[in-house]
Amino acid sequence: MDDILFPFDEPRKIQNAFMVQLYEVFKNKGNFLVHAPTGTGKTASAISPALTYALKNNLTVFYLTSRHTQHLIAVETLKKISERHKVPFNAVDLVGKQGMCNQDGVQNLTSSEFSEYCKDLRKNDHCVHFRNLKQKGQVSMLAHAALQDLKKIGPCHVEKINAVCSAKSVCPFETACLLGKESAVIIADYNHIMSPHIRDSIFKRIKKDLSRCIIIFDEGHNLPQRARDLLTIKLSSYVIDQAVKEARQFGTGELADTIVSIGDFLMELVKENIQIDKEESLVTRGEFEMKVKNLCDLDQLVGDLQDVADEVLETKKRSFIRSVAEFLMSWPGPDEGFVRILSREFDSKGKVQVTLSYKCLDPSFVMRPLFNECHSVIVMSGTLTPTNMYNDLLGFDEDDTIVQEYDNPFPKENRLNLIIPETSTKFTSRSKEMYMQIANRCNEIVTSVPGNCAVFFPSYNIMEEIYFILKDKCDKTIFLEQPGMSKEERGDMLERFKEYKDTGAVLCGVSSGSFGEGIDLLGDYLKSVMVVGLPLSKPNLETQELIKYYDKKYGRGWDYGYIFPAIIKSMQNAGRCIRSKTDRGVIVFLDERYLWNKYYRCFPSDWGMKVAVKPADEIRKFFGTQ
């Protein structure tokens, strides 16, 4: 494979195998599902053969990732390829239109609200950045100048695109799409391809055809949940209340009364379906639909709501009436692979909040059409095990899909994987005494580690219970993740945490939170990760229905719907520790259930798990600090 446009001097053995296999997949118009642990060099190994094949065959590569850091890595990989091989090609980095917009206040809108707001600005010629794009139906001089600047710069991150376009007063997103027409590689977010509505809009702009595209999904373990979320929609009493105010503000009292009645229907459903000691209940499509149809014609109501929402968006950035209309349009959808759930909770003031949800259970509804239409689809991750689960859930066709698992390339002696079985966060074991035991073990371990430690908990509540005990025992500075932290707050905390690399600090976070997956702490910035408990899904109705559906479809309900997702979260947490071949660290799983066969069997065989009776001694021996 001497002609592969690889960005470095010599590919490692594992990278060479990856690229050779991938190039054959492209030649056969197949798909590739690959588990490749951290250190494999997935980004370069995927982009290099994809770009090589695309340039030879006039295809377009979409590299999809939801992580800001992966956008940067992909851009840097393309830069290195361009500089090393002197091959002319264009590339563009896209995030959502909302993330590239220069209008004030748009970051506070939901995606659908922003979409309508942007459409309204363009329709009424109120956006100078969009207006400057064209002159007499042709690309304007300003937009042409921005494109020329971007082509001279070569592959660059979206922030650079925004800066160039801001200087020319043209819309960054639309300008990026103009560049996308001429680009061999487009770095984007999952939804740019997974959402048919967004995909159609972008492909219309960039003049691409899905059948002429190679799609690479990075961090593919996120795809099942992202696909399900894409087809899930909710209606809450809060949205109803805001929609009523909106309708009355815009002089449509009759419509406001109709929306009030819809809110009353939600309360009636609660009385009819949710017992006093319960929080949720399954409902049928007809239970809610018939109440609305007895009130008015559903199609007429949706049309009226959309008309008023359009009026609202002429003066405001968001419309709750639009949200009501979208829910009513989606609610009559199919039953198979979906579940309808009514839930009730109380806010801080004791007011009842009701939510009616139409939730997707089957991610293959989103993914299978891509596998059938694209030239090739690549799904890769460092925690894509068990691969047969992802093969099933995403809907790959076995006849044209290659499934591959690569071993961890890092030296085994650089990591110590321990299970400490004497505590548990399972519901029946939770008590002050158990939290005290866990806090003691956490303190023992972080004290034994010469440097920074991260400790991940299954929930904020459990984290706080143990933190209040740990803070009085631990001599190291403790950083505590808070729910709802902004990107800036998370970044600031991480930078302050890194300053303690010599003396050592403790970062406490939640397994499914912001730090459990999306941080990279190379070298001496993180010496140990401890996963406290199992981050199992709450055994609510959605989880129960997911287990039933996967059991019916695959005969693996408990595995696919409950056990494997929790272990994958744990392994993602563990993966924060060893990020390069020179990193050394200790990974601790603190819960007796990790030794139960149904969980233990999920660990990769090359991890060499050890049960620790005296973990402090093991850790000091590993670091040579005895």
Side-chain angles (χ1 to χ4, degrees), residues 190-191 193-196 198 225-233 360 366:
Y190 294 154
N191 281 2
I193 292 294
M194 290 170 66
S195 166
I198 296 173
Q225 188 63 54
R226 285 289 295 266
R228 290 178 53 223
D229 288 346
L230 200 61
L231 297 182
T232 291
I233 193 163
C360 177
V366 171

Side-chain angles (χ1 to χ4, degrees), residues 599-615:
Y599 300 114
Y600 188 83
R601 65 191 167 100
C602 299
F603 287 115
S605 57
D606 63 348
W607 275 28
M609 304 300 299
K610 295 178 66 175
V611 179
V613 179
K614 296 182 178 179

Side-chain angles (χ1 to χ4, degrees), residues 316-350:
K316 296 172 68 177
K317 291 186 176 73
R318 68 187 304 173
S319 169
F320 289 97
I321 291 175
R322 169 75 59 182
S323 299
V324 176
E326 289 176 345
F327 180 84
L328 293 176
M329 285 190 290
S330 298
W331 182 256
D335 293 327
E336 184 66 21
F338 290 83
V339 62
R340 292 174 169 85
I341 296 175
L342 180 70
S343 61
R344 173 186 60 196
E345 60 183 3
F346 296 90
D347 63 19
S348 57
K349 297 179 181 178

Side-chain angles (χ1 to χ4, degrees), residues 109-346:
L109 307 179
T110 67
S111 57
S112 60
E113 288 165 351
F114 171 78
S115 176
E116 294 301 323
Y117 173 65
C118 176
K119 184 166 68 176
D120 184 69
L121 286 182
R122 288 183 280 120
K123 175 183 173 184
N124 294 295
D125 202 27
H126 290 164
C127 180
V128 65
H129 308 291
F130 184 77
R131 189 165 61 238
N132 286 343
L133 276 171
K134 299 285 182 71
Q135 284 181 333
K136 298 180 180 179
Q138 302 296 316
V139 175
S140 70
M141 293 296 292
L142 286 171
H144 183 74
L147 284 170
Q148 291 306 112
D149 286 351
L150 290 172
K151 288 178 183 178
K152 287 177 185 175
I153 295 168
C156 61
H157 189 250
V158 67
E159 290 174 3
K160 185 65 176 178
I161 295 174
N162 283 3
V164 169
C165 292
S166 179
K168 306 293 184 186
S169 294
V170 292
C171 173
F173 180 81
E174 296 291 349
T175 304
C177 287
L178 288 173
L179 181 57
K181 289 181 181 180
E182 307 172 49
S183 292
V185 182
I186 298 173
I187 304 164
D189 184 69
Y190 294 154
N191 281 2
H192 286 118
I193 292 294
M194 290 170 66
S195 166
H197 173 71
I198 296 173
R199 182 175 69 239
D200 291 346
S201 175
I202 289 176
F203 274 49
K204 184 177 179 180
R205 285 175 168 87
I206 65 177
K207 309 297 182 187
K208 303 288 185 184
D209 188 291
L210 200 57
S211 66
R212 304 287 301 166
C213 292
I214 293 170
I215 312 296
I216 302 171
F217 286 98
D218 192 23
E219 302 296 326
H221 60 275
N222 292 315
L223 287 180
Q225 188 63 54
R226 285 289 295 266
R228 290 178 53 223
D229 288 346
L230 200 61
L231 297 182
T232 291
I233 193 163
K234 301 177 181 180
L235 179 66
S236 69
S237 50
Y238 171 77
V239 169
I240 290 287
D241 291 344
Q242 297 304 310
V244 169
K245 292 176 184 177
E246 201 170 85
R248 287 181 175 149
Q249 180 184 348
F250 282 81
T252 53
E254 185 177 342
L255 189 62
D257 291 341
T258 301
I259 299 172
V260 168
S261 295
I262 292 173
D264 292 340
F265 297 158
L266 293 185
M267 291 302 179
E268 289 174 18
L269 284 174
V270 168
K271 291 178 182 177
E272 294 166 3
N273 289 278
I274 302 182
Q275 298 174 23
I276 193 67
D277 59 337
K278 302 292 183 182
E279 297 178 346
E280 57 183 357
S281 172
L282 296 176
V283 293
T284 65
R285 176 174 60 184
E287 285 180 86
F288 176 69
E289 193 173 47
M290 289 307 299
K291 288 179 183 291
V292 177
K293 285 183 175 180
N294 288 336
L295 176 70
C296 60
D297 181 81
L298 183 58
D299 292 337
Q300 181 64 49
L301 174 59
V302 169
D304 292 344
L305 290 168
Q306 289 176 321
D307 289 343
V308 176
D310 288 341
E311 183 183 344
V312 171
L313 290 166
E314 290 180 6
T315 57
K316 296 172 68 177
K317 291 186 176 73
R318 68 187 304 173
S319 169
F320 289 97
I321 291 175
R322 169 75 59 182
S323 299
V324 176
E326 289 176 345
F327 180 84
L328 293 176
M329 285 190 290
S330 298
W331 182 256
D335 293 327
E336 184 66 21
F338 290 83
V339 62
R340 292 174 169 85
I341 296 175
L342 180 70
S343 61
R344 173 186 60 196
E345 60 183 3
F346 296 90

